[in-house]
Amino acid sequence: MTKTSKSLVTGGAGFIGSHVARRLLAEGHEVTVLDSHIGHGIVPNVRYVKGSVTDGALVEQLVAGHDYVFHLAARLGVKTTMSAPAEMIENNLQGTMNVLQAASKYGKKVVFASSSEVYGKGKPPFAEDDDLLYGPTRKLRWSYATAKLVEEFLCLGYGRKGLPVTVVRYFNVYGPGQKEGPYGGVVPKFIRAALAGEDIPVYGRGDQTRCFTYVDDAAEATVRALRPEADQEIINIGTDEEIPIMALARRIKLVTGSASNIVTIPHETVYPYGFEEIPRRLPRTAKMKSLLGFAPRTALTEGLVRTVQWYRDNDRRAQGE
Ligand SMILES: NC(=O)c1ccc[n+]([C@@H]2O[C@H](COP(=O)([O-])OP(=O)(O)OC[C@H]3O[C@@H](n4cnc5c(N)ncnc54)[C@H](O)[C@@H]3O)[C@@H](O)[C@H]2O)c1
């Protein structure tokens, strides 16, 4: 990688993409972001292009002018997946096809953002070559994982044709800048509730576990995926610090110093038919360590302290203080 490398980050106005853009700038890259929605979180010295990855001509023109492509643009989140699966699938597949076709034509390395969702109901800890297990198609929550899976196959297919491509599977990334969705983003949801003194809503019994990855760690691992050793590989990006959601709620209450109550809400009252909870989500991280030479550095409590501070500062800014 030279000092003058040019990187294109699709979805770079979003949560993880904006941190990847910052990381690339810090490493001396010129960075262009292609995103259909450019709102808050503008990173200075990044060039922003407002447009869609579903626009093949635009994608081709941008890919041709860059050395590397970080393809993060996607519709995601449980709510989107459950309420608009067709739009999600069309957007994500079309965008990925456009990126891979253009990158293949011009010989540009691609890092593709996949998800721990692809492991479905498999048996944790999840290793990259494990068998995968999903529920029936009528349970729409599996549509997002299935789309990501097809996109992974596309990446590997273009890899067979000589394209240098790496698939990274993120495990529950959190940190400053993450949006709170009505059905997703458990960390921002709990922090907002805790800071507002409102009930902290835990879905189900709260014994489902997750491994939360601090966004700076995820961004660094993503940029390291440019290494040739990672070409044609699929790599989990996550930590092995596993925590039940109830314990997460308690930790956030502690970190914020909040007097909020923690309340449990049955899944059926929150999600329409078609949702299935994943009881445990834990990555194997050996490949990330060996191929990317990276292990996450930010323990959960430390990451939460930084994230809470960001929400406090942001709320103050929003209130014009
Ligand atoms: N946040 C996580 O924990 C997590 C976990 C697993 C995988 N991922 C993957 O990482 C990537 C980034 O996720 P995020 O959490 O930053 O989400 P995000 O919603 O903050 O960012 C996604 C960005 O993609 C943009 N986008 C969507 N469709 C587009 C299109 N057609 N053209 C251009 N831009 C488009 C959105 O405007 C948004 O800015 C996604 O591919 C997601 O599937 C995220």
Side-chain angles (χ1 to χ4, degrees):
M1 198 191 323
T2 64
K3 282 280 170 206
T4 53
S5 297
K6 291 183 178 176
S7 285
L8 175 67
V9 184
T10 74
F15 167 49
I16 302 176
S18 59
H19 288 268
V20 168
R22 271 193 201 93
R23 178 85 213 163
L24 287 165
L25 281 179
E27 296 205 1
H29 289 235
E30 281 178 33
V31 180
T32 303
V33 157
L34 171 62
D35 203 301
S36 50
H37 182 79
I38 297 167
H40 301 297
I42 297 290
V43 178
N45 300 320
V46 166
R47 178 166 79 106
Y48 286 89
V49 175
K50 188 171 180 192
S52 176
V53 285
T54 59
D55 178 344
L58 175 63
V59 169
E60 178 167 346
Q61 181 209 327
L62 286 170
V63 168
H66 291 79
D67 304 306
Y68 307 113
V69 185
F70 294 84
H71 177 41
L72 283 85
R75 291 204 188 170
L76 63 143
V78 181
K79 187 190 176 210
T80 310
T81 301
M82 307 280 290
S83 62
E87 290 81 351
M88 179 276 296
I89 293 168
E90 285 168 3
N91 181 70
N92 294 1
L93 287 188
Q94 187 61 58
T96 299
M97 285 194 307
N98 288 342
V99 166
L100 291 171
Q101 281 165 7
S104 191
K105 183 168 174 186
Y106 295 99
K108 307 298 167 92
K109 162 105 191 200
V110 175
V111 178
F112 170 66
S114 187
S115 169
S116 58
E117 276 282 321
V118 299
Y119 289 105
K121 302 194 277 188
K123 197 167 169 289
F126 299 138
E128 290 85 347
D129 286 336
D130 281 354
D131 289 341
L132 308 173
L133 178 67
Y134 298 152
T137 42
R138 269 177 60 77
K139 297 216 164 170
L140 291 170
R141 71 108 64 229
W142 301 114
S143 59
Y144 172 74
T146 306
K148 283 286 187 198
L149 205 62
V150 173
E151 292 168 86
E152 288 196 8
F153 277 124
L154 279 169
C155 289
L156 296 179
Y158 277 92
R160 286 285 286 269
K161 297 201 273 183
L163 178 74
V165 57
T166 304
V167 172
V168 291
R169 289 180 177 163
Y170 295 125
F171 280 70
N172 289 81
V173 182
Y174 76 101
Q178 189 177 19
K179 281 173 282 183
E180 182 191 359
Y183 294 104
V186 64
V187 170
K189 184 188 291 291
F190 285 4
I191 291 177
R192 287 260 185 234
L195 290 178
E198 295 164 4
D199 289 349
I200 301 174
V202 170
Y203 300 160
R205 288 198 307 267
D207 52 359
Q208 65 276 36
T209 71
R210 295 293 182 266
C211 295
F212 291 93
T213 312
Y214 191 63
V215 66
D216 285 351
D217 288 330
E220 173 155 2
T222 306
V223 173
R224 284 182 185 227
L226 287 183
R227 294 173 169 204
E229 304 91 285
D231 286 355
Q232 333 307 1
E233 296 284 353
I234 295 176
I235 305 172
N236 287 341
I237 304 294
T239 75
D240 27 37
E241 190 181 352
E242 189 180 10
I243 185 167
I245 296 300
M246 180 58 81
L248 175 75
R250 293 199 190 104
R251 189 88 60 99
I252 287 176
K253 200 169 131 86
L254 196 73
V255 166
T256 51
S258 170
S260 291
N261 295 315
I262 298 172
V263 298
T264 55
I265 301 176
H267 276 116
E268 315 77 77
T269 60
V270 188
Y271 296 112
Y273 173 79
F275 184 75
E276 269 184 274
E277 181 59 287
I278 294 169
R280 206 174 158 221
R281 194 180 268 165
L282 172 71
R284 289 227 189 259
T285 54
K287 253 182 124 173
M288 177 183 66
K289 287 171 185 156
S290 63
L291 289 179
L292 306 183
F294 184 73
R297 304 186 179 103
T298 317
L300 181 60
T301 302
E302 183 189 343
L304 288 175
V305 167
R306 288 192 217 159
T307 308
V308 165
Q309 190 56 48
W310 183 85
Y311 281 101
R312 285 202 162 110
D313 293 347
N314 230 45
D315 281 350
R316 259 184 234 122
R317 270 199 299 275
Q319 285 157 20
E321 280 177 30

